[in-house]
Short mmCIF file of all heavy atoms in Angstrom, two decimals:
data_model
loop_
_atom_site.label_atom_id
_atom_site.label_comp_id
_atom_site.label_asym_id
_atom_site.label_seq_id
_atom_site.Cartn_x
_atom_site.Cartn_y
_atom_site.Cartn_z
N HIS V 177 -68.01 -41.19 -14.30
CA HIS V 177 -67.84 -41.51 -12.88
C HIS V 177 -66.43 -41.17 -12.42
O HIS V 177 -66.22 -40.62 -11.35
CB HIS V 177 -68.12 -43.00 -12.66
CG HIS V 177 -67.95 -43.42 -11.23
ND1 HIS V 177 -66.76 -43.89 -10.73
CD2 HIS V 177 -68.83 -43.45 -10.20
CE1 HIS V 177 -66.91 -44.18 -9.45
NE2 HIS V 177 -68.16 -43.92 -9.10
N THR V 178 -65.46 -41.49 -13.25
CA THR V 178 -64.04 -41.26 -12.94
C THR V 178 -63.38 -40.72 -14.20
O THR V 178 -62.89 -41.49 -15.03
CB THR V 178 -63.37 -42.59 -12.50
OG1 THR V 178 -64.13 -43.16 -11.43
CG2 THR V 178 -61.94 -42.37 -12.05
N TRP V 179 -63.38 -39.41 -14.32
CA TRP V 179 -62.83 -38.83 -15.56
C TRP V 179 -61.32 -38.92 -15.61
O TRP V 179 -60.73 -39.03 -16.67
CB TRP V 179 -63.21 -37.35 -15.67
CG TRP V 179 -64.59 -37.03 -16.13
CD1 TRP V 179 -65.55 -36.34 -15.44
CD2 TRP V 179 -65.17 -37.33 -17.41
NE1 TRP V 179 -66.68 -36.22 -16.20
CE2 TRP V 179 -66.48 -36.82 -17.40
CE3 TRP V 179 -64.72 -37.99 -18.55
CZ2 TRP V 179 -67.33 -36.93 -18.50
CZ3 TRP V 179 -65.57 -38.12 -19.64
CH2 TRP V 179 -66.86 -37.59 -19.60
N ASN V 180 -60.68 -38.74 -14.46
CA ASN V 180 -59.21 -38.63 -14.43
C ASN V 180 -58.71 -37.45 -15.25
O ASN V 180 -57.68 -37.53 -15.94
CB ASN V 180 -58.56 -39.93 -14.93
CG ASN V 180 -58.40 -40.94 -13.80
OD1 ASN V 180 -57.99 -40.59 -12.70
ND2 ASN V 180 -58.74 -42.19 -14.07
N HIS V 181 -59.43 -36.33 -15.16
CA HIS V 181 -59.07 -35.15 -15.96
C HIS V 181 -57.63 -34.69 -15.73
O HIS V 181 -56.90 -34.41 -16.67
CB HIS V 181 -60.00 -33.98 -15.62
CG HIS V 181 -61.37 -34.08 -16.24
ND1 HIS V 181 -61.59 -34.52 -17.52
CD2 HIS V 181 -62.60 -33.77 -15.74
CE1 HIS V 181 -62.88 -34.47 -17.79
NE2 HIS V 181 -63.52 -34.04 -16.73
N GLU V 182 -57.24 -34.64 -14.43
CA GLU V 182 -55.91 -34.09 -14.11
C GLU V 182 -54.81 -34.96 -14.73
O GLU V 182 -53.84 -34.47 -15.31
CB GLU V 182 -55.75 -34.06 -12.57
CG GLU V 182 -54.51 -33.36 -12.11
CD GLU V 182 -54.15 -33.70 -10.66
OE1 GLU V 182 -55.04 -34.15 -9.90
OE2 GLU V 182 -52.98 -33.52 -10.31
N MET V 183 -55.03 -36.27 -14.60
CA MET V 183 -54.06 -37.23 -15.15
C MET V 183 -53.98 -37.11 -16.68
O MET V 183 -52.90 -37.15 -17.26
CB MET V 183 -54.57 -38.62 -14.75
CG MET V 183 -53.86 -39.71 -15.40
SD MET V 183 -52.61 -40.22 -14.30
CE MET V 183 -53.50 -41.55 -13.58
N ILE V 184 -55.15 -36.96 -17.29
CA ILE V 184 -55.17 -36.86 -18.76
C ILE V 184 -54.47 -35.58 -19.21
O ILE V 184 -53.69 -35.59 -20.16
CB ILE V 184 -56.63 -36.99 -19.27
CG1 ILE V 184 -57.08 -38.46 -19.12
CG2 ILE V 184 -56.75 -36.52 -20.73
CD1 ILE V 184 -58.52 -38.74 -19.41
N ASP V 185 -54.71 -34.48 -18.51
CA ASP V 185 -54.03 -33.22 -18.86
C ASP V 185 -52.52 -33.40 -18.76
O ASP V 185 -51.76 -32.97 -19.63
CB ASP V 185 -54.44 -32.09 -17.90
CG ASP V 185 -55.85 -31.61 -18.19
OD1 ASP V 185 -56.39 -31.97 -19.26
OD2 ASP V 185 -56.42 -30.89 -17.34
N TYR V 186 -52.10 -34.06 -17.68
CA TYR V 186 -50.66 -34.30 -17.49
C TYR V 186 -50.09 -35.09 -18.67
O TYR V 186 -49.05 -34.76 -19.22
CB TYR V 186 -50.43 -35.05 -16.17
CG TYR V 186 -49.01 -35.54 -16.01
CD1 TYR V 186 -48.03 -34.73 -15.44
CD2 TYR V 186 -48.65 -36.82 -16.45
CE1 TYR V 186 -46.72 -35.18 -15.32
CE2 TYR V 186 -47.33 -37.27 -16.33
CZ TYR V 186 -46.38 -36.45 -15.77
OH TYR V 186 -45.08 -36.89 -15.66
N MET V 187 -50.80 -36.14 -19.06
CA MET V 187 -50.29 -37.00 -20.13
C MET V 187 -50.22 -36.24 -21.45
O MET V 187 -49.25 -36.35 -22.19
CB MET V 187 -51.16 -38.25 -20.26
CG MET V 187 -50.98 -39.19 -19.10
SD MET V 187 -51.75 -40.77 -19.44
CE MET V 187 -53.30 -40.59 -18.64
N LEU V 188 -51.29 -35.48 -21.74
CA LEU V 188 -51.30 -34.75 -23.01
C LEU V 188 -50.14 -33.76 -23.07
O LEU V 188 -49.56 -33.53 -24.12
CB LEU V 188 -52.65 -34.06 -23.20
CG LEU V 188 -53.84 -35.01 -23.46
CD1 LEU V 188 -55.16 -34.25 -23.43
CD2 LEU V 188 -53.69 -35.76 -24.79
N LYS V 189 -49.80 -33.18 -21.91
CA LYS V 189 -48.69 -32.21 -21.88
C LYS V 189 -47.34 -32.90 -21.95
O LYS V 189 -46.34 -32.30 -22.30
CB LYS V 189 -48.75 -31.40 -20.58
CG LYS V 189 -49.81 -30.32 -20.62
CD LYS V 189 -49.69 -29.38 -19.42
CE LYS V 189 -50.94 -28.53 -19.32
NZ LYS V 189 -51.70 -28.75 -18.11
N ASN V 190 -47.30 -34.17 -21.57
CA ASN V 190 -46.01 -34.87 -21.48
C ASN V 190 -45.82 -35.95 -22.54
O ASN V 190 -45.03 -36.86 -22.37
CB ASN V 190 -45.83 -35.45 -20.07
CG ASN V 190 -45.56 -34.36 -19.05
OD1 ASN V 190 -44.42 -33.92 -18.91
ND2 ASN V 190 -46.60 -33.90 -18.40
N ASP V 191 -46.58 -35.83 -23.62
CA ASP V 191 -46.37 -36.72 -24.76
C ASP V 191 -46.60 -38.20 -24.45
O ASP V 191 -45.92 -39.07 -24.96
CB ASP V 191 -44.94 -36.51 -25.30
CG ASP V 191 -44.92 -36.52 -26.81
OD1 ASP V 191 -45.99 -36.63 -27.40
OD2 ASP V 191 -43.81 -36.46 -27.39
N ILE V 192 -47.57 -38.43 -23.57
CA ILE V 192 -47.98 -39.81 -23.28
C ILE V 192 -49.44 -39.88 -23.72
O ILE V 192 -50.26 -39.07 -23.26
CB ILE V 192 -47.88 -40.12 -21.77
CG1 ILE V 192 -46.45 -39.93 -21.27
CG2 ILE V 192 -48.39 -41.54 -21.48
CD1 ILE V 192 -46.31 -39.96 -19.76
N VAL V 193 -49.76 -40.79 -24.63
CA VAL V 193 -51.14 -40.82 -25.13
C VAL V 193 -52.05 -41.48 -24.08
O VAL V 193 -51.77 -42.59 -23.64
CB VAL V 193 -51.23 -41.55 -26.49
CG1 VAL V 193 -52.68 -41.82 -26.86
CG2 VAL V 193 -50.56 -40.72 -27.57
N PRO V 194 -53.11 -40.77 -23.67
CA PRO V 194 -54.07 -41.38 -22.74
C PRO V 194 -55.02 -42.29 -23.52
O PRO V 194 -55.47 -41.94 -24.62
CB PRO V 194 -54.85 -40.18 -22.18
CG PRO V 194 -54.27 -38.95 -22.80
CD PRO V 194 -53.46 -39.37 -23.98
N GLU V 195 -55.30 -43.45 -22.95
CA GLU V 195 -56.25 -44.37 -23.57
C GLU V 195 -57.29 -44.69 -22.49
O GLU V 195 -56.93 -45.10 -21.39
CB GLU V 195 -55.51 -45.64 -24.02
CG GLU V 195 -56.39 -46.62 -24.75
CD GLU V 195 -55.57 -47.77 -25.36
OE1 GLU V 195 -54.56 -48.19 -24.77
OE2 GLU V 195 -55.98 -48.26 -26.43
#
Side-chain angles (χ1 to χ4, degrees):
H177 179 269
T178 306
W179 281 119
N180 274 317
H181 283 320
E182 187 197 339
M183 170 94 97
I184 287 172
D185 286 348
Y186 170 87
M187 288 192 263
L188 291 171
K189 282 190 193 117
N190 287 278
D191 220 3
I192 301 169
V193 169
E195 184 172 34

